[in-house]
Amino acid sequence: MLLDTASLYYRAYFGVPDSVRAPDGTPINAVRGLLDFIARLVQDHRPDDLVACWDNDWRPQWRVDLIPSYKAHRVAEEIEGAPDAEETPDTLSPQVPVIAEVLAALGIARIGADGYEADDVIGTLTARATGPVDVVTGDRDLFQLVDDARERRILYPIKGVGTLQITDEAWLRERYGVDGPGYVDLALLRGDPSDGLPGVPGIGEKTAAKLLEAYGDLAGIMAAVDDPAAKLTPSQRKKLDEARPYVAVAPKVVRVADDVPVPDFDASLPRAPRDPAALHALAERWGLGGSLQRLLSVLQD
């Protein structure tokens, strides 16, 4: 089981009241909410291995070089020689290092790679895995990893993590008319304002799905643009032709990397904390209370 950690702690932050605080009054809702999420996921799905995948760089420069608008609206501060600072709620930012410390003390693997997003780490670990993989994320971009033959599913939270949309090929085809790899083409044609991806102007989700059904994939669609006999409307042909520079680079931006240099690590689900003393100190300092106890209880079962 691979966790898109930032996606989950954002959901925890907005789903758990900020009245949940440490003894000194610091909001700790994202930390406790994430611990409850992990406890529920382990309880319900019993993974053999669990990895908290991490954004070492939420906006990699190599993606920005290809599409400058990529996540540009979420930049809080440009930092020379380092990843830009992301716009984050004031009371969430201080909780992120605490999450990292708690995961380390528990012994839950937390893996990132410099110059890459958590999505890329997930893509790489999914590609390497020899058994079934469940990816837990609220990010539709990762639908591209769905592969029934290799038992790759996306568990997409609907309400907390107790109600999950099990995203497999049948669901994708019913909802979007594409398979996992086809979702990349659909997403780049449609665009995604939340990621600053412009898409092809005038080509929405339904039109993109119809084009993919008719011509197979992005390459087939662009070949149709050059084929006078292809049954594209004049407007579609014009829009796609004008979007060639974007279409040429967008696949690399939208497709998650599957060859990220990740360190060696132990993904085994811990049965007991790796560092009990450190975990006890964190629990006392931050008032992790029942959330931590519930997770420890589930891990020991």
Side-chain angles (χ1 to χ4, degrees), residues 62-63 66-67 120 144 181 184-185 187-189 197 218-219 222 243-257:
W62 58 271
R63 282 193 167 103
L66 294 168
I67 298 181
D120 302 310
Q144 64 185 271
V184 173
D185 293 343
L188 71 87
L189 287 166
L197 293 174
L218 184 64
M222 298 313 292
R244 285 182 193 274
Y246 165 75
V247 169
V249 298
K252 187 173 181 182
V253 174
V254 176
R255 191 174 291 120
V256 300

Side-chain angles (χ1 to χ4, degrees), residues 140 185-194 196-200 203-204 246:
R140 293 187 301 170
D185 293 343
L186 179 83
L188 71 87
L189 287 166
R190 174 194 66 202
D192 186 348
S194 69
L197 293 174
V200 176
I203 303 293
Y246 165 75

Side-chain angles (χ1 to χ4, degrees), residues 46-66:
R46 293 290 165 187
D48 297 309
D49 300 309
L50 181 71
V51 183
C53 300
W54 204 257
D55 282 315
N56 279 22
D57 190 339
W58 67 280
R59 187 176 182 250
Q61 188 60 45
W62 58 271
R63 282 193 167 103
V64 176
D65 289 344
L66 294 168

Side-chain angles (χ1 to χ4, degrees), residues 255-271:
R255 191 174 291 120
V256 300
D258 61 5
D259 56 354
V260 170
V262 296
D264 292 332
F265 64 96
D266 180 4
S268 302
L269 192 68
R271 296 298 173 193

Side-chain angles (χ1 to χ4, degrees), residues 177-257:
V178 297
D179 58 7
Y183 190 81
V184 173
D185 293 343
L186 179 83
L188 71 87
L189 287 166
R190 174 194 66 202
D192 186 348
S194 69
D195 280 344
L197 293 174
V200 176
I203 303 293
E205 186 170 284
K206 290 182 179 178
T207 301
K210 287 177 181 176
L211 291 172
L212 289 167
E213 183 179 10
Y215 301 107
D217 57 17
L218 184 64
I221 292 170
M222 298 313 292
V225 176
D226 295 324
D227 179 3
K231 294 180 180 179
L232 292 168
T233 68
S235 174
Q236 289 170 348
R237 194 183 299 273
K238 181 173 186 290
K239 289 167 181 171
L240 288 161
D241 184 51
E242 290 174 347
R244 285 182 193 274
Y246 165 75
V247 169
V249 298
K252 187 173 181 182
V253 174
V254 176
R255 191 174 291 120
V256 300

